[in-house]
Amino acid sequence: MEWQERITRETPPSIRIEHELRYAMAAPLVRGADTWLDLGCGAGVAATAALGGDGPARAVLVDASADVLSEAARDVPAGEVVAVEADLASDAGVAAVRAALGDARDGVATCFEVIEHLESFVSVVELLVELAEQRAFTVVLSVPNDAFWPVESPWHATMWGAGSFEELRRLLPAEHVIAHQIPLQGSSVVPEGTPALEPPGFVVREDAVASHFIAAFGPRCAEVVARSAVAQADLAGQRQWERQREANLAFYEDRIQWAQGEFRAWRDYMNELERTLGRTPTTAPLDFP
Amino acid sequence: MVEHARQLVARHGFAVDLVLARERDEPDWGFRGLADIPVHGMDAARAVGYDVVVATWWETVGPALELPARRHAYFIQSLEDRFYRPHEAQRLAAALTHDLPLHVITEARWIAETLEALTPPRRCLLVRNGIAKDVFHSPAPPPVRGGDPLRILVEGNPDVWFKGVPEALEATRAMRAPRHVTTVTPHGRRLEGVDEALGPRSQRELAAAYADADVVLKLSRVEGMFGPPLEGFHMGATCVVTAVTGHEEYVVHGENGLVVDWDDVRGTSRALDLLARDQALLHRVRWGALATAKGWPSWEQQGTVMAAALGTIARRPALERRPFDARLLAELRGGVEGHALVAAERDLLRWRMAPMLAVDRMLERPPARWLSRPARRAWGAARRRVQR
């Protein structure tokens, strides 16, 4: 599951574009800010792609993992980069972020796909509200719509859906903008020798289900506008990954069967020995399903 | 509320006191976690300076305001005026508490939206009830039921008018398909048409009862967050419910349950028959119910939301009184006019009944009493019917 939670260069395009779009939405705000705070920056892949080499004067990048943090600090474009390794579920972690920010004002804070990973999001939400209300930061955050995700993520400490997002929304300052990130599907016919066409516009249906909920608040929150992005599917990469998964599955199923056979034979031998010694077999031979 | 208190103490470093608004009240010591939280009477609580005092029921708002605190708040778990019929005085008293300039936490979106429509200057905070995932521990896939009778669970107090328990049992009696009906009521009384009558249950016992059911049948007329079907969902049961407030938070007709019309005993019994006969449909909605349950937050998560909500209340400024005063006076005036109408109708009824009462008094005299014994029996029956 790691590939789904950490955005790397190997992440499938459909997931990368989802992350890049969120950063692209915030990019105009970030570029114009003196200080940009990115909570849960990961390896900075999506932010780097969205900013396209044009970053803010100062970036404060925060993540719980030192490894990815160093990658982000290397790649994210900014005049000055401050990397903070911090557990945002703890007061100490949030205090480290406050210390790194210093007296910064009029900045931008992004917090994408972080809150659901925290056992307690009280401190981080308090920090974001404080930044918006007292230090004129514009904040953009997102949470996933777990309720529509068929697989329960082992990495999510809390479960998010429309109801949970509504609870979060009511904790935010009264002036805020809400956006729903809607997944798209598509296809393109490309005659040989011609470039692909831009995808046509579309109207979001009323019953559209969001994959992610986004909230923006702070002085420039109204600048968050509708935005879509399309990426070419990497069928070759997907096929490679699926074949790897199938091969791994088949391999480990074979190993499990082998181990079960070995264990059964060993158990039979032990029971035979016990019978030879006139003892009752301690356990019946295991019957694996 | 006790579960919230437990979470706040255990996971968020809060110091929480439960205060009994009436000195004679005794806490329900059987409630999980209550033993870990100090319980005080009002006198002891008056000596403490609290950061936030939260009223949790309309009758506790007055006592809560007596306690010294930096902020007072109101945890509104339902619009409690609806627990009373229009002629009951408590209805107005409960409604008036909603018009006080208190920060509000609610447990359902419909309550927050209604209160904001009534008193626009206030932004309500929302903290839904979590589910004890260790107690209501879901089965991996819901087991497919064979050709057994449909197992129906009806939960609620049959003596409380808005719980709709008699109506639910009437619907089960009107079914054509075989069924097994279990009730969970405060007294465990066996009601007509019930196969198994369960009394008060611990949370674990309740979870076991839900796990044994195919369908939770709730025809309530008033609910806050509407917890029982959701608990049933966690244990692999679907639901048949009225479109009561709170159901919209998680019940989707045909996806994880069936929503039936008000006062529609026949329609409800047909919906139950459908689930009894169409095993594929039953399995489909049970599957959906379990998926809904997986998406519902735990008490641990909701404890975090409550901690954030209380922190927000402590930070937000006190509400301005004036818009609330205006709203309260309007509510009071409406209530007084409503009661005047009730009193006038009662006077009119008394005037119309005067001849009947005169006959009644005459029949109570000894000679007439003996002569009119058969007539009195019939008269008594008629009077009982009128009183009903």
Side-chain angles (χ1 to χ4, degrees), chain B residues 110-190:
Chain B
W110 74 266
I111 302 174
E113 287 163 4
T114 305
L115 288 173
E116 284 169 349
L118 293 172
T119 48
R122 177 167 56 194
R123 279 183 79 210
C124 299
L125 294 160
L126 175 65
V127 185
R128 295 169 300 159
N129 287 345
I131 290 284
K133 301 275 181 175
D134 56 332
V135 176
F136 294 92
H137 186 67
S138 301
V144 178
R145 296 290 193 197
D148 301 332
L150 186 72
R151 298 185 71 88
I152 302 167
L153 187 143
V154 178
E155 184 273 347
N157 188 337
D159 300 325
V160 175
W161 66 272
F162 54 82
K163 289 295 181 187
V165 172
E167 293 87 337
L169 293 178
E170 192 181 347
T172 61
R173 290 195 297 270
M175 284 176 69
R176 292 173 185 159
R179 77 274 178 186
H180 181 279
V181 179
T182 302
T183 51
V184 180
T185 61
H187 308 295
R189 200 167 69 225
R190 185 175 287 276

Side-chain angles (χ1 to χ4, degrees), chain A residues 121 141 143-145 159-173 176 178 180 213-215, chain B residues 106-114 116 123-128 249 297 301-302 305 309 316:
Chain A
F121 45 82
L141 62 81
V143 290
N145 187 1
M159 183 63 76
W160 289 79
S164 298
F165 184 67
E166 179 66 16
E167 290 171 335
L168 175 64
R169 190 180 74 77
R170 287 170 177 278
L171 295 169
L172 305 180
H176 58 252
I178 298 297
H180 290 181
F213 302 106
I214 295 167
Chain B
T106 71
E107 61 173 30
R109 266 185 281 190
W110 74 266
I111 302 174
E113 287 163 4
T114 305
E116 284 169 349
R123 279 183 79 210
C124 299
L125 294 160
L126 175 65
V127 185
R128 295 169 300 159
E249 194 74 49
Q301 178 169 346
Q302 293 314 95
V305 182
R316 282 183 181 170

Side-chain angles (χ1 to χ4, degrees), chain B residues 348-363 379:
Chain B
L348 184 64
L349 189 64
R350 193 172 292 158
W351 182 76
R352 283 183 178 167
M353 284 181 69
M356 289 189 283
L357 293 171
V359 171
D360 196 28
R361 279 196 298 274
M362 191 182 76
L363 292 176
W379 174 243

Side-chain angles (χ1 to χ4, degrees), chain B residues 322-345:
Chain B
R322 194 173 51 80
F324 289 91
D325 287 347
R327 170 73 205 161
L328 185 139
L329 289 171
E331 184 98 64
L332 190 59
R333 181 178 171 176
V336 168
E337 285 176 1
H339 269 278
L341 204 62
V342 169
E345 284 175 352

Side-chain angles (χ1 to χ4, degrees), chain B residues 18-33:
Chain B
L18 292 179
V19 179
L20 303 177
R22 290 181 189 167
E23 300 295 354
R24 63 183 173 79
D25 282 352
E26 284 297 320
D28 178 3
W29 294 104
F31 204 101
R32 167 171 114 142

